[in-house]
Structures are given as structure tokens and as C-alpha cells.
Amino acid sequence: MPSEIDLHIHTNASDGTYSPEDLLKKIHEAGIKIFAVTDHDTITGALETQKILNDKSLIFIKGIEFSCRIQEIKSKCHILGLNYDETHAAFQDALNAGAKLRHEKFFKRINFLRDNFNITFTDSEIEDLLKIPSVGKPHLGNLIVKKGFAATRVEAIENIIDKCKTGNDKIEAELAIKSINSSGGVSVWAHPLGGEREPELSEEKFQETLKKLISFGLQGLECYYSKYEISKCEWLAEQARRNGLLISGGSDCHGSNKNIPLGKLNAEDKFINQDLLTILRS
């Protein structure tokens, strides 16, 4: 049974397939009452959703998902920002830094595909890709499939695109967290045990990463998540309470790019009451 809250959703401004208009229709169909658009390293989808939303029965939260690294402990993580002020200078600095690294990563992959797989793209194709505010692997994967170099997007990503080592392509988690907090937003560690198609983080690595993120000012933990069994969600919620963190939850819905329905806040499809998500009271 889908929950009525979903604080982790992607649109076609990054690697989702729903336009903001399509997403609002799906939100109504799913019975979602409170939701956030959290595209990777861009706020384009969130701002467009805010602009066209005219249903006063829905509570919308502007979001973003920063792709981050923690250089000191050689870790990667994703940090959600909710309810930020996008005009704040520090937030703009983080946004621009993430966009710059993503742009550089895109062209590293374009050159790698040409040099190592003889996969080339026309100027028109590259221009169309660059119109996507947060272009990434799924968009390249779709084109690789279209050109006949792979049977599926997943195959294109895992067997071709992932061979390209892009180096430092993520902003520091400290920058993301501090920029979100200083803009009046709430910073949340997304899918802290690992996201879709990612290996589960060990408890030791989780605790090490959590300690470091808290030292940067982390405010919340995404405890309820589509991939996690209820026992894992409850364990994460306990970790949040012990560390004075807010509890959040989201599906990580990407439309047809991932088979994750809106409002799915755990792997067992258990309904999650909004009272469990303390972030809504912040």
C-alpha cells in the first residue's frame, strides 16, 4: 500500500522520465498528499513543479539530491536538500559546483565512448543531451541502445559507460550540507545503506560515514526507503533518534527508468504514517 508522503522523487530534469506535468498527474493517481522533487544536482524540476502546481490540497517541498564524496574517508554519498532558499549565495555556490563537475563528467564520457568503443554522437545529439539540466548515464545509455551497441540501458551503463573512470566528479558532502543548512533548508543523507542497484553499506562504514556527516551539520536521515525491509527502516530510525536527527522517507521514483512506484517507502509495501517522519514537523 503506497504511503501518502514521498520526499524523494526525480523528474526528467535529471534521470527520471516524468515531466513535472506528468508527475503531478501521477501524484494524484497515487494518492500522495506531501511530496518533494529531488533531482540530481539541479533544481530545475523542483522550480517548474512549484510554478505549475495549483492544487492547494497538496503540500509540495522543493528538493535536490547532491551527488557527494567525503574525501577524508574515501566515501560517496547522496545528500538531499529540502525546503532550501535557492537564491542564497552559499546554496548557489554548491549548485554551480555540482553543475560544473557534472558537465565535465559528461564530456569525459563522450570522449571515452569515442576512443574506447567507437561510439560517436552527432552535434545535434550532444546539443539535445545538454538541454537536460542534469544529464547523466541513463540518457547516454538510451542513445547507446538506439545506436545498437547494447540491448538495454542497464547493459549500456554496466558494460560500457561504467568502464569510464571520471575521477573527482562529485562535490564535497561538507559543502552540500553547509550550503543547504545556511539557506534555511534541511540536509538529509539519502538511502544511507545504499540505493537502487548498489551494495548494502556495512554497519561499520555506515557509522563512520554518519559520524563524519554529523560533524558537517547533517540534520536528517532517509530511514524509510523503497529498497529497505521494514526491519532496516526501523533500525535506521533508531539511529536517527540516537543521534538527534530528523527522520525522512522517500521512494526514489524515477518513472520508467526504475521500477519504483510513488509512495513506496519500504520493500514490503507497508503503509508509513506521516507521524513517523519527524522531518515533517521541522
Side-chain angles (χ1 to χ4, degrees), residues 24 28 49-58:
L24 289 177
H28 282 289
T49 302
Q50 182 182 51
K51 180 180 176 181
I52 65 174
L53 179 62
N54 55 20
D55 186 341
K56 295 191 183 335
S57 69
L58 295 176

Side-chain angles (χ1 to χ4, degrees), residues 23-200:
L23 175 61
L24 289 177
K25 293 175 186 175
K26 298 292 184 181
I27 289 288
H28 282 289
E29 291 170 6
I32 304 291
K33 306 297 183 187
I34 305 170
F35 72 106
V37 168
T38 56
D39 284 312
H40 294 286
D41 304 311
T42 181
I43 59 174
T44 302
L47 295 184
E48 181 61 24
T49 302
Q50 182 182 51
K51 180 180 176 181
I52 65 174
L53 179 62
N54 55 20
D55 186 341
K56 295 191 183 335
S57 69
L58 295 176
I59 297 175
F60 171 66
I61 299 170
K62 288 180 298 185
I64 190 170
E65 183 175 4
F66 281 114
S67 303
C68 301
R69 67 173 188 164
I70 309 173
Q71 181 65 21
E72 297 169 66
I73 59 174
K74 294 180 170 55
S75 288
K76 296 177 182 178
C77 62
H78 285 203
I79 300 297
L80 297 170
L82 302 175
N83 264 337
Y84 47 75
D85 173 4
E86 69 275 8
T87 67
H88 192 279
F91 186 83
Q92 280 292 319
D93 287 345
L95 199 60
N96 291 335
K100 181 176 181 292
L101 288 172
R102 186 169 282 273
H103 186 81
E104 291 172 355
K105 178 168 58 176
F106 172 76
F107 281 103
K108 284 179 183 177
R109 286 175 173 153
I110 291 292
N111 294 335
F112 174 86
L113 293 172
R114 179 196 63 213
D115 297 341
N116 293 271
F117 288 92
N118 200 31
I119 300 174
T120 59
F121 302 94
T122 66
D123 290 344
S124 176
E125 287 170 333
I126 291 176
E127 286 174 11
D128 286 342
L129 287 169
L130 289 174
K131 289 175 184 175
I132 301 167
S134 187
V135 63
K137 290 191 285 188
H139 310 106
L140 282 173
N142 287 337
L143 262 184
I144 288 170
V145 170
K146 186 177 178 181
K147 289 174 178 291
F149 288 92
T152 67
R153 182 180 61 249
V154 172
E155 180 185 315
I157 292 172
E158 293 181 351
N159 297 342
I160 300 175
I161 301 172
D162 281 349
K163 302 293 183 185
C164 177
K165 305 306 176 187
T166 53
N168 177 22
D169 58 5
K170 296 173 174 60
I171 67 171
E172 289 292 334
E174 183 174 12
L175 172 61
I177 289 170
K178 289 184 175 178
S179 71
I180 294 164
N181 295 354
S182 65
S183 75
V186 180
S187 54
V188 177
W189 184 10
H191 40 70
L193 296 179
E196 185 74 9
R197 294 199 296 268
E198 291 179 351
E200 184 171 319

